[in-house]
């Protein structure tokens, strides 16, 4: 595993995509400062200061894209939960891959697929985790309730380097198994941390909002909503 550490960058994901052909499989890129952090569904990821993690992992698992790669964000969300649990916290996952503590977001994940024409070049799995952000700085994120490890932990807060080190060992430990089997490999671990299951929820889609009881996350990571006597299977969206 190679490491690239940047002082300042627009976005670690953009950097990885620009340089992808020169970066080897399993390279971890982290930045001290990110000026144009990008989130899911065209949102921004706000830089809450140097003590927080802005990281992208370059992955080149094969020459052809496989559908199960789209579940890598869910795999990473489980790995982030497992790491937070080392510190006696009880993180939860908000489908598809936000990690929350006490209903507040602590980590976000954005995976981008890089294609050249029709050929698959690799994946950039980016994540931001709020480690040291203070009460005042989390208030900068206007659209969501946000927290950090420092605000939630009962013992002393680890540095971002220590946290990243633990997270990466957890990530690589099961990565090859995940690649072989896909979402089913983590389905149970994911579902037991999925706070929305069994609840009546509203999900924002590109063309409107759907409502129903979240009955399960299926074998492919899709969210199944029961609505009256039909099932709605969602592969993209945002729980409101
Ligand atoms: C989300 O919750 O919407 C996803 C946020 C992902 C943020 C990380 S920070 C490192 C990497 N570089 C980016 O520009 N975005 C991801």
């Amino acid at each position: 595993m190679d490491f690239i550490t940047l002082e300042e960058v627009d976005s670690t994901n953009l950097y990885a995509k620009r340089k992808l052909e020169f970066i080897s499989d399993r390279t971890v890129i982290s930045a001290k400062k990110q000026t144009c952090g990008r989130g899911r569904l065209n949102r921004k990821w706000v830089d809450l200061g140097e003590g927080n993690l802005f990281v992208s992992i370059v992955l080149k698992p094969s020459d052809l894209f496989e559908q199960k790669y789209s579940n890598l964000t869910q795999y990473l969300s489980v790995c982030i939960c497992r790491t937070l649990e080392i510190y006696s916290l009880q993180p939860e996952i908000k489908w598809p891959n936000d990690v929350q503590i006490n209903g507040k977001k602590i980590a976000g994940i954005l995976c981008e697929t890089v294609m050249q024409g029709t050929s698959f070049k690799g994946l950039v799995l980016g994540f931001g985790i709020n480690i040291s952000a203070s009460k005042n700085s989390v208030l900068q994120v206007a659209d969501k309730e946000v927290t950090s490890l420092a605000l939630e932990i009962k013992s002393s807060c680890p540095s971002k380097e220590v946290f990243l080190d633990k997270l990466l060992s957890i990530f690589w430990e099961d990565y090859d198994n995940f690649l072989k089997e896909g979402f089913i490999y983590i389905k149970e671990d994911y579902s037991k941390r999925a706070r929305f299951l069994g609840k009546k929820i509203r999900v924002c889609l590109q063309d409107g909002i759907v409502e129903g009881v979240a009955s399960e996350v299926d074998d492919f990571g899709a969210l199944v909503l029961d609505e009256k006597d039909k099932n709605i299977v969602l592969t993209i969206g945002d729980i409101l």
Side-chain angles (χ1 to χ4, degrees):
M1 173 177 59
D2 289 339
F3 267 97
I4 299 174
T5 308
L6 305 167
E7 282 297 313
E8 180 175 329
V9 72
D10 49 358
S11 143
T12 55
N13 268 34
L14 287 176
Y15 176 93
K17 291 202 296 178
R18 285 192 295 265
K19 310 244 182 225
L20 195 92
E21 65 176 304
F22 309 108
I23 300 178
S24 52
D25 180 30
R26 303 184 188 213
T27 297
V28 178
I29 302 162
S30 78
K32 290 187 183 163
K33 188 170 182 205
Q34 195 173 241
T35 53
C36 190
R38 301 160 69 239
R40 285 179 64 239
L41 310 172
N42 286 327
R43 286 191 291 246
K44 287 191 177 10
W45 183 261
V46 184
D47 180 331
L48 298 178
E50 239 197 67
N52 303 293
L53 284 169
F54 316 107
V55 180
S56 299
I57 309 177
V58 169
L59 298 169
K60 298 182 175 179
S62 62
D63 291 338
L64 290 177
F65 180 80
E66 293 184 34
Q67 200 48 50
K68 56 192 167 195
Y69 301 158
S70 50
N71 301 114
L72 269 162
T73 59
Q74 290 165 310
Y75 171 63
L76 177 57
S77 70
V78 169
C79 296
I80 294 174
C81 286
R82 288 181 186 155
T83 313
L84 290 166
E85 285 156 8
I86 295 175
Y87 299 98
S88 308
L89 294 164
Q90 287 178 305
E92 293 169 322
I93 299 172
K94 182 175 164 198
W95 183 87
N97 52 49
D98 279 357
V99 180
Q100 300 185 322
I101 296 181
N102 297 321
K104 297 178 188 171
K105 181 159 167 171
I106 190 165
I109 302 169
L110 172 69
C111 188
E112 300 185 77
T113 303
V114 184
M115 304 290 296
Q116 198 173 63
T118 53
S119 70
F120 170 63
K121 292 290 159 194
L123 302 152
V124 176
L125 181 59
F127 57 96
I129 308 179
N130 300 329
I131 303 289
S132 73
S134 65
K135 219 169 192 152
N136 273 344
S137 73
V138 296
L139 294 173
Q140 287 175 47
V141 187
D143 60 332
K144 276 205 167 71
E145 280 225 276
V146 167
T147 193
S148 70
L149 182 55
L151 294 174
E152 301 295 334
I153 198 167
K154 300 282 178 284
S155 48
S156 71
C157 187
S159 66
K160 64 175 182 180
E161 290 81 7
V162 167
F163 189 90
L164 181 60
D165 208 49
K166 291 192 196 302
L167 170 59
L168 291 174
S169 3
I170 289 172
F171 182 85
W172 297 123
E173 199 174 292
D174 274 339
Y175 174 70
D176 291 313
N177 290 327
F178 169 81
L179 280 188
K180 266 188 228 128
E181 296 189 31
F183 185 76
I184 195 87
Y185 183 71
I186 50 149
K187 182 176 175 180
E188 201 184 315
D189 260 0
Y190 180 95
S191 302
K192 71 180 186 208
R193 297 174 173 99
R195 67 193 292 264
F196 52 86
L197 286 180
K199 295 190 180 146
K200 186 162 188 180
I201 56 169
R202 299 167 76 225
V203 184
C204 182
L205 310 176
Q206 252 168 351
D207 53 356
I209 291 175
V210 288
E211 203 175 281
V213 175
S215 61
E216 68 155 340
V217 174
D218 72 11
D219 292 355
F220 305 97
L223 173 61
V224 183
L225 288 188
D226 288 347
E227 202 235 356
K228 298 193 183 113
D229 43 11
K230 65 174 197 290
N231 277 347
I232 309 172
V233 181
L234 301 174
T235 54
I236 189 162
D238 219 14
I239 298 180
L240 296 171

